[in-house]
Amino acid sequence: MPQGKVALVTGITGQDGGHLAELLHNEGYEVHGLIRGQSNPRRVALEAEMPWINLVEGDLTDPTSLIRAVDLTDPDELYNLAAVSHVGYSFKNPTLTADVTGKGVLNVLEAVRLTGRAEKTRIYQASTSEMFGGLDYNRPGQGYDESSLFHPRSPYGVAKLYGHWIAKNYRESYGMFVTCGILFNHEGERRGVEFVTRKITHAVARIKAGLQDTIELGDLWPKRDWGYAGDFVRGMHLMVQHDVPDDFVLATGETHSIEEFLTLAFAEIGVDDWRPYVVQNPAFMRPAEVDILLGNPAKAEKVLGWKREVDFPGLVSRMVRHDLALLDL
Ligand code: NAP
Ligand code: G4F
């Protein structure tokens, strides 16, 4: 067990930040989390859930705050999970997305380098399958892997591609340990209700409780390679423990439509036909859509020994059961 290691996690209030902080704490790390804003509404809940965590103020758009955070915490490992991460939101706030999700990565890398920690601090960069774009021309039958062509389809995907390449550039230019995890969609009980899976499981529980009648969604045909966030943060940690920095795809190797997710989620409350409960609303459709994402995790499985444990039906079931339990059902 790597006793005594220090980790700094950006995006600590997010889904992956929560799972990763727990994993690192259980591994004996001293865990610091970067939190933004004068009075972040998630701060109190986070401190109640993880009393062992040390929160340090900082914003990815403020290089000075990042230099201060890195200096204060002196991390052995820095996991850069912070981002404007909602694809639909990125179309409405493209400049903010570029500043946080793109240039914010540069600010993190520079904070480590300028404080003299280029050799000490190992960095994980949260890259994404959104960089691939899911278009016919670049879609390999066996799934996207580390050498597949990129064609991002949203301001979010474009910003992430900048983050991915600047991370690789710092690896090549300065010999820094910067590893990029190209992660396909991962979900779970901590997922924000603005993402389609949790939006569905949250609504299914409320429909069962009689608190709402229908759910408004956008396009139902897109397919995603959906895994469980707990499995994926295990992969992040393994990447940072590997002897050399590299790029790794984490995925399940299966792809399912939103319609399939709806079928399994409604089945959990004994409903066979979800159609009467779903209203399509163009407000939730995007100017450009990513049709199909399917990943090939062979490299991570072989080199890191990573294997996902939760399958697609297991993921849907645990999310619905969690949301039912929140309503005492
Ligand atoms: P999430 O739940 O949306 O969390 C995003 C985090 O970023 C939040 O803690 C948020 O803090 C923080 N943040 C936003 N703007 C910031 C800023 N200007 N400065 C500092 N922090 C800021 O995202 P997630 O699902 O955990 O994903 C973690 C990372 O992996 C993200 O970079 C995401 O793009 C990437 N990723 C996610 C998936 C997935 O399926 N989940 C797949 C591939 C890649 P506040 O509480 O202050 O808003
Ligand atoms: O849940 P989503 O918003 O996730 P999306 O766009 O795939 O992005 C997530 O995964 C990426 C990895 O591939 C991450 F990088 C990113 O940060 C994020 O975590 O939407 C999934 C699909 C899309 O096709 C969307 O158009 O669901 C469709 N959808 C249909 N109705 C909806 C809705 N998405 C949302 N959020 N809300 C709806 O009402």
Side-chain angles (χ1 to χ4, degrees):
M1 187 184 280
Q3 281 287 354
K5 275 201 199 176
V6 176
L8 173 60
V9 180
T10 76
I12 196 72
T13 56
Q15 169 186 253
D16 291 4
H19 280 284
L20 182 66
E22 249 169 20
L23 179 148
L24 294 172
H25 175 66
N26 291 337
E27 291 280 332
Y29 282 68
E30 179 183 313
V31 186
H32 301 267
L34 189 88
I35 190 153
R36 70 172 168 140
Q38 277 191 188
S39 101
N40 191 310
R42 298 186 186 170
R43 184 179 197 122
V44 174
L46 187 64
E47 283 174 334
E49 192 191 348
M50 300 177 189
W52 35 264
I53 209 156
N54 176 46
L55 296 176
V56 48
E57 279 80 20
D59 192 301
L60 247 61
T61 60
D62 180 349
T64 313
S65 73
L66 296 175
I67 287 172
R68 181 179 164 274
V70 169
D71 246 344
L72 270 175
T73 57
D74 191 23
D76 298 298
E77 297 174 11
L78 191 161
Y79 294 84
N80 184 36
L81 309 183
V84 169
S85 77
H86 193 275
V87 174
Y89 181 85
S90 81
F91 282 102
K92 295 168 190 149
N93 299 269
T95 310
L96 176 70
T97 305
D99 286 344
V100 179
T101 305
K103 214 171 115 197
V105 183
L106 175 63
N107 293 339
V108 168
L109 295 165
E110 279 290 86
V112 170
R113 194 178 73 87
L114 293 175
T115 58
R117 291 178 174 81
E119 284 183 24
K120 169 176 177 158
T121 305
R122 293 185 170 207
I123 300 174
Y124 172 85
Q125 170 54 23
S127 294
T128 170
S129 50
E130 268 289 308
M131 301 187 307
F132 295 123
L135 294 166
D136 277 348
Y137 88 99
N138 74 339
R139 205 165 60 214
Q142 75 286 7
Y144 291 108
D145 64 22
E146 295 77 6
S147 59
S148 298
L149 282 177
F150 295 124
H151 186 141
R153 301 262 293 156
S154 61
Y156 167 77
V158 174
K160 276 286 180 187
L161 195 52
Y162 173 80
H164 184 70
W165 278 108
I166 199 69
K168 284 166 75 92
N169 179 254
Y170 271 52
R171 187 196 297 165
E172 291 168 9
S173 305
Y174 303 114
M176 288 168 67
F177 189 109
V178 189
T179 269
C180 298
I182 307 174
L183 270 50
F184 283 67
N185 297 51
H186 44 281
E187 320 289 318
E189 306 85 342
R190 294 178 190 271
R191 190 57 144 156
V193 289
E194 65 274 27
F195 298 94
V196 77
T197 56
R198 186 78 196 286
K199 184 172 172 180
I200 292 170
T201 62
H202 182 248
V204 162
R206 286 175 57 82
I207 287 168
K208 170 81 176 168
L211 296 172
Q212 73 184 67
D213 300 324
T214 55
I215 171 171
E216 289 191 10
L217 295 171
D219 287 317
L220 305 181
W221 45 265
K223 290 183 156 186
R224 291 291 180 271
D225 183 327
W226 274 305
Y228 177 55
D231 284 340
F232 281 49
V233 300
R234 235 182 337 101
M236 291 178 191
H237 183 245
L238 286 173
M239 285 179 214
V240 176
Q241 310 318 303
H242 190 53
D243 11 325
V244 286
D246 203 344
D247 301 331
F248 292 98
V249 161
L250 295 186
T252 71
E254 286 177 28
T255 190
H256 299 278
S257 66
I258 296 155
E259 290 174 339
E260 289 174 81
F261 194 100
L262 283 163
T263 300
L264 291 180
F266 274 93
E268 285 286 324
I269 59 163
V271 172
D272 291 336
D273 183 7
W274 48 264
R275 282 173 181 78
Y277 298 94
V278 173
V279 178
Q280 278 200 281
N281 182 344
F284 296 109
M285 295 172 186
R286 296 163 184 181
E289 184 54 86
V290 172
D291 295 3
I292 301 179
L293 288 178
L294 172 66
N296 179 351
K299 179 177 170 184
E301 290 179 354
K302 183 160 177 255
V303 177
L304 304 173
W306 178 78
K307 194 107 193 114
R308 56 103 171 178
E309 282 168 10
V310 178
D311 64 7
F312 180 63
L315 172 69
V316 182
S317 172
R318 74 187 291 153
M319 288 179 71
V320 175
R321 283 188 282 111
H322 171 80
D323 283 332
L324 288 169
L326 286 181
L327 295 174
D328 290 328
L329 293 172

